[in-house]
Amino acid sequence: MKSRTESAIALGEHIVADPGICHGKPTFKGTRILVQQVLEDVAEGKSWDFISQVRWGGRLPLAAIAEAVRLAQSALLDQ
């Protein structure tokens, strides 16, 4: 039997897709914060400091937000 961590797919240093968490949608490691939610905040023009500190109470490092933006950019440009 596989453990939850064995079925998880690392998408980056800070981002993971785990079928046992949020139906496998990309989340930030150690949280249930959806990458989609953070990208929506970025698209709405919210500052990364606001997203990290206010919206998510400091549980989301700026490096994780940067990684989400880079991965989204890469996914869009690689198509």
Side-chain angles (χ1 to χ4, degrees):
M1 177 195 243
K2 285 186 175 181
S3 72
R4 181 179 297 181
T5 55
E6 289 178 34
S7 63
I9 299 168
L11 301 174
E13 182 180 339
H14 301 278
I15 299 172
V16 65
D18 186 333
I21 299 174
C22 298
H23 307 286
K25 293 180 180 176
T27 58
F28 293 92
K29 288 182 182 176
T31 75
R32 292 182 179 269
I33 301 170
L34 293 170
V35 171
Q36 175 184 341
Q37 292 173 295
V38 172
L39 291 175
E40 287 171 359
D41 285 344
V42 170
E44 290 173 4
K46 293 183 172 92
S47 77
W48 291 14
D49 285 325
F50 174 86
I51 295 167
S52 172
Q53 298 301 316
V54 177
R55 178 125 156 90
W56 298 109
R59 295 183 297 144
L60 192 62
L62 295 177
I65 298 170
E67 182 176 81
V69 170
R70 278 193 308 273
L71 288 174
Q73 178 187 24
S74 177
L76 183 63
L77 296 177
D78 288 349
Q79 294 301 320

